[in-house]
Amino acid sequence: TIDILIFTGYPLHAPEAYIPYFKKHNITAVVRLNKKFYDAKRFTDHGIEHFDLFFVDGSVPSDMIVRLVILAFLLLFYYY
């Protein structure tokens, strides 16, 4: 297993820590909404799609970002 790291008081898990759970529950995509702390390949190398839709942490995402997230999941839902 991958150990929990502590960074600025918040627990962080490496992307690899989520892969078994995602595979078990047929999760096929990840949307990163904040700063880039990991390489997307850490998911895509395991067959999990990865999207970047950034907005300022702690703020409300724009309508466009919300629509893009919904669109991405709808497309993936119909694709898989």
Side-chain angles (χ1 to χ4, degrees):
T1 64
I2 309 250
D3 293 331
I4 296 174
L5 302 175
I6 302 298
F7 180 72
T8 65
Y10 295 97
L12 298 176
H13 299 274
E16 292 80 7
Y18 297 98
I19 301 300
Y21 179 87
F22 287 178
K23 293 287 188 177
K24 179 179 179 181
H25 296 284
N26 298 316
I27 295 171
T28 59
V30 171
V31 177
R32 176 176 28 212
L33 300 172
N34 51 15
K35 294 179 184 175
K36 184 177 180 178
F37 287 113
Y38 60 86
D39 186 343
K41 283 182 54 66
R42 293 168 77 179
F43 284 109
T44 59
D45 284 350
H46 294 277
I48 297 172
E49 300 283 342
H50 190 281
F51 302 94
D52 285 314
L53 297 170
F54 297 108
F55 66 96
V56 177
D57 196 20
S59 70
V60 177
S62 68
D63 286 345
M64 180 61 74
I65 289 176
V66 172
R67 289 178 184 164
L68 287 171
V69 168
I70 292 169
L71 178 61
F73 284 117
L74 286 173
L75 290 172
L76 287 168
F77 176 76
Y78 288 109
Y79 178 75
Y80 288 98

